[in-house]
Amino acid sequence: MYYKIISIVMALLIGAAASVFGQSSPELKFNKNEAAAISENETATPIEGNASASLKTLTAVQIVEACDAVRNPDRPFRFTETLVEYRGSSPIQKVELTIFAKEDETARFNSLVRFEKPLRDRDKIMMKNGNDLWYFDPTSKASVRISPQQRLMGQASNGDVVSVNMAKDYSAELSGEASIQDADRKKRNCYLVKLSAREDSVTYRKIDLWIEKETFMPVKGKFYSDSGRLLKIAYYRRLVNVLGRNRPTETIIIDGLDRTLITKMTHTDYQYAKIPDFWFQKEYLPRFRAE
C-alpha cells in the first residue's frame, strides 16, 4: 500500500498524470530511489538549536513578507486557475476559475473569483473582502456568507483559491532551517517558519511553511486544523517568470489522512489588471462584468 501511494504521488508530481478527462491514464512507474525521495520529502526534519548567521539577520516576519512578494505581484492582477481532483491516478473532476486580486489599504488582499467551468457553474462568484467571504449564485440572485475553511473541490478549500498576504494574517515564528527535497526531488535549503492565525476568520489555524533561503520561494506547506490535526500537505512547483519575477505556477495538495487524494492547482495567464474597489462590495456582485 505504501509504495502504491508513493507511485501515485510521483506520477502527478512529474506530470505522468497530466491527461485530464477523455484520456486514459498512463502506466505509473517508479523505483525505490523515487519512493525514498518522496519519503524523505514527507519526513524532513528541521535543524533545531542554535540559529545560523542568516537566521540572526532576518526575522520571521521579513522572511514571510519576502515569500508573499514571490507569491503575489505588486500591483492588481488577474489569472486563470485550473483545479483537477484525483483519486489515485484517475481524474475525478475539474474546475476553472478566473481570479482578480488587489491589495487594500491595510496590505491585505481582496479577491474576486469567477467560475468559468464546468458550464453549470459559469458566472458564479466568490468574493473576499478583508477576511469576509461571500458567494453569489446568478440563478438565485442571492449572496451568502461562506467560510474560507469550506471545501471548494477535492483537497482545495475556498480559502486556497483567494490571494492571501500571510504576513498580515498570521504571526510568524522562525523554527530553524531544513534541507528538504522539493516536488521535483531537488534539494532545497529552507527556512522553516511556523505560522499562527491572528484571527479566527482565516483559513488555517496553523501552518508550517518551508521557504527557500536563496529565493524566498515557497517549497512546501503543512496545514493544520484548530485541534492540531494535519489537514493537507502542499508542494509548490513549476517556476515561471510571471509579471517581473519567477513564481510557482502549480500547487500539489495531498490530503492529510488519505495520501491517494490529490488536487492539482495550475495558475496561468497572469496579467496586470485595472480592478476598481467597488468590485469587492457584496451589493455589486449581481452586476459584476469583468470585460
Side-chain angles (χ1 to χ4, degrees):
M1 180 63 181
Y2 169 79
Y3 285 109
K4 182 178 180 181
I5 292 171
I6 293 301
S7 66
I8 290 167
V9 174
M10 286 301 307
L12 286 171
L13 291 179
I14 65 176
S19 61
V20 179
F21 309 120
Q23 301 181 30
S24 59
S25 297
E27 180 184 359
L28 301 178
K29 297 181 180 180
F30 69 101
N31 55 45
K32 290 183 179 180
N33 291 334
E34 291 174 335
I38 287 295
S39 178
E40 179 183 349
N41 206 9
E42 284 292 317
T43 59
T45 303
I47 300 171
E48 304 290 353
N50 294 330
S52 67
S54 61
L55 286 171
K56 294 177 182 177
T57 57
L58 285 175
T59 68
V61 172
Q62 289 172 327
I63 293 168
V64 177
E65 287 176 340
C67 184
D68 281 335
V70 170
R71 294 170 47 252
N72 298 307
D74 59 355
R75 304 206 307 265
F77 63 99
R78 60 177 289 175
F79 64 100
T80 299
E81 185 152 88
T82 303
L83 296 86
V84 182
E85 178 187 4
Y86 294 87
R87 180 179 293 277
S89 61
S90 302
I92 300 172
Q93 58 179 326
K94 177 179 177 181
V95 170
E96 183 177 307
L97 311 168
T98 300
I99 301 176
F100 304 84
K102 180 181 183 181
E103 275 189 322
D104 64 15
E105 63 276 4
T106 69
R108 284 187 167 90
F109 273 93
N110 293 331
S111 297
L112 192 145
V113 179
R114 183 178 65 192
F115 289 70
E116 308 290 354
K117 295 177 182 177
L119 291 179
R120 66 176 181 273
D121 293 330
R122 187 174 180 85
D123 291 332
K124 292 179 180 178
I125 296 172
M126 189 162 57
M127 184 269 289
K128 174 180 175 289
N129 188 331
N131 283 328
D132 294 334
L133 199 59
W134 295 88
Y135 175 78
F136 172 74
D137 188 336
T139 303
S140 65
K141 307 295 184 184
S143 297
V144 295
R145 195 166 181 174
I146 58 176
S147 166
Q149 295 88 5
Q150 181 179 331
R151 187 184 296 266
L152 173 66
M153 190 201 79
Q155 284 57 62
S157 67
N158 292 333
D160 290 327
V161 300
V162 296
S163 296
V164 173
N165 189 326
M166 288 188 173
K168 290 293 182 181
D169 289 343
Y170 293 87
S171 58
E173 176 188 348
L174 192 54
S175 179
E177 298 180 9
S179 180
I180 67 170
Q181 289 194 343
D182 64 12
D184 299 303
R185 306 191 302 281
K186 295 180 180 178
K187 184 171 288 188
R188 301 286 190 95
N189 296 320
C190 297
Y191 298 112
L192 172 56
V193 181
K194 292 185 176 291
L195 303 174
S196 300
R198 297 182 188 274
E199 302 176 14
D200 292 339
S201 56
V202 299
T203 308
Y204 301 103
R205 177 57 56 187
K206 292 184 180 295
I207 302 172
D208 292 341
L209 188 62
W210 285 260
I211 300 171
E212 187 174 38
K213 292 176 61 178
E214 183 177 354
T215 65
F216 299 104
M217 298 283 180
V219 176
K220 174 183 175 182
K222 288 188 173 182
F223 302 83
Y224 299 89
S225 68
D226 290 353
S227 65
R229 179 171 64 88
L230 177 63
L231 297 173
K232 62 189 71 173
I233 302 168
Y235 294 95
Y236 306 90
R237 66 191 300 258
R238 295 200 185 282
L239 301 183
V240 176
N241 193 302
V242 172
L243 300 182
R245 70 181 302 169
N246 285 337
R247 308 180 196 276
T249 60
E250 185 175 284
T251 305
I252 304 291
I253 305 175
I254 305 169
D255 188 84
L257 292 177
D258 185 347
R259 304 298 170 85
T260 67
L261 301 178
I262 300 168
T263 299
K264 181 167 68 174
M265 300 170 55
T266 305
H267 328 299
T268 58
D269 194 27
Y270 277 85
Q271 304 172 42
Y272 286 124
K274 293 182 179 180
I275 302 176
D277 290 336
F278 60 77
W279 280 13
F280 306 108
Q281 298 175 7
K282 176 174 70 75
E283 294 75 18
Y284 180 73
L285 296 182
R287 304 192 301 275
F288 173 73
R289 295 291 183 273
E291 290 86 9

